[in-house]
Amino acid sequence: MRTMKILLFIALLVPFATHSGGSDLVLDKAPIDTSDHASLQRGAKSFVEYCLTCHGASFMRYNRHRDIGMSEDDIRGQLIHTGQKTGGLMESAMKKKEAEEWFGVVPPDLSVIARARGADWLYTYLRTFYRDSTTYSGWNNLTFDKVAMPHVLHQLQGQQVLKADQKSGSSGSAMSNLEIAVPGLMTKAEYDNFVVDLVNYMVYLGEPHAAHRKELGTMVILFLIGMLGLTYLLYKEYWRDIH
């Protein structure tokens, strides 16, 4: 029985071990600010254009984008390209069977990917794809070794390769291990800003009501502090004659 428990524990750890990049890889800090509505709107447009074809965000409705300053017309014109209603869910345009045939695995839903992986992981991941002729897609990633997903943003970033003295999963800063072999449509700074907006939006996707929750929490704390003061004054008034 003890042996079975140990084997089960190891089996549970295997997916995490195989799905991580180099254990010593230093993740880049993502400058996330979900109060920046302009960034969230840019990220939403990028998400729909580059991610929603394969991945879904099925916990999110299009009309929730009103919370980040988009009107109904903005949502219809900039985010919905499939004739859905604004109250519809952001579901992937790709069928699961087709996805499994093409990629060998169904692309995951991205509704809570930022909460599962973390903003820094996503920010680093989207910037560390590189050419690898040994993989099925011709792409690999320093953050997620042998990843099934091809680099759908390579036209923007360009094509990166490992530096001659580096190996996949090497330690240190992720970007220091890579160099541009074929330039993309964006400069490095422009692409980094593009990824910041996209990751910022995915963080928002994970908890779209976070800003309201924090605002409500602040109001409740201030109310409780005020009530504490009034309670203390009432206490002093009740015990004034006794003392």
Side-chain angles (χ1 to χ4, degrees):
M1 181 62 70
R2 179 179 175 81
T3 302
M4 287 297 294
K5 288 182 178 179
I6 293 174
L7 290 175
L8 179 59
F9 179 73
I10 293 173
L12 289 173
L13 288 180
V14 166
F16 295 97
T18 57
H19 285 179
S20 61
S23 58
D24 297 327
L25 196 69
V26 178
L27 299 178
D28 294 328
K29 182 66 177 177
I32 297 304
D33 179 10
T34 53
S35 66
D36 186 347
H37 285 185
S39 171
L40 292 177
Q41 290 176 23
R42 292 192 298 268
K45 296 172 190 174
S46 299
F47 184 87
V48 168
E49 184 172 352
Y50 293 99
C51 304
L52 200 58
T53 302
C54 301
H55 299 275
S58 57
F59 296 165
M60 182 70 168
R61 296 186 183 277
Y62 285 102
N63 56 13
R64 286 304 302 265
H65 293 85
R66 292 178 298 189
D67 297 342
I68 60 173
M70 299 187 77
S71 66
E72 290 286 321
D73 290 339
D74 291 335
I75 294 170
R76 290 193 189 94
Q78 300 175 23
L79 302 184
I80 300 178
H81 306 306
T82 56
Q84 288 179 269
K85 296 182 178 179
T86 57
L89 296 171
M90 297 180 68
E91 297 178 334
S92 171
M94 183 183 294
K95 297 185 183 300
K96 291 184 178 180
K97 184 177 180 181
E98 294 175 345
E100 195 165 4
E101 289 176 356
W102 295 340
F103 302 114
V105 63
V106 178
D109 188 277
L110 299 181
S111 300
V112 294
I113 189 65
R115 299 182 69 177
R117 288 290 192 177
D120 293 348
W121 190 93
L122 288 172
Y123 179 61
T124 306
Y125 169 75
L126 290 172
R127 295 159 57 247
T128 53
F129 277 92
Y130 64 93
R131 276 296 185 184
D132 186 348
S133 59
T134 66
T135 65
Y136 177 78
S137 67
W139 293 97
N140 206 339
N141 193 289
L142 283 181
T143 314
F144 194 141
D145 191 36
K146 300 297 186 293
V147 64
M149 173 181 164
H151 188 19
V152 297
L153 302 174
H154 74 273
Q155 290 185 332
L156 304 181
Q157 184 187 26
Q159 299 183 33
Q160 296 185 127
V161 295
L162 285 173
K163 291 182 178 178
D165 58 344
Q166 299 293 338
K167 294 182 179 180
S168 175
S170 57
S171 61
S173 176
M175 297 305 294
S176 66
N177 298 328
L178 301 170
E179 59 186 0
I180 292 288
V182 180
L185 298 176
M186 294 182 175
T187 65
K188 180 182 182 301
E190 290 172 339
Y191 183 75
D192 286 351
N193 290 333
F194 172 89
V195 173
V196 167
D197 291 337
L198 183 56
V199 174
N200 200 26
Y201 176 71
M202 285 193 279
V203 171
Y204 168 77
L205 269 183
E207 193 175 3
H209 58 279
H212 176 68
R213 175 179 55 79
K214 292 176 182 178
E215 181 182 347
L216 183 61
T218 301
M219 292 173 61
V220 169
I221 290 173
L222 291 174
F223 172 78
L224 292 175
I225 291 174
M227 288 300 297
L228 178 62
L230 292 174
T231 303
Y232 177 74
L233 292 175
L234 186 61
Y235 162 82
K236 295 288 288 184
E237 181 65 25
Y238 277 154
W239 287 88
R240 181 177 60 180
D241 295 336
I242 298 176
H243 292 292

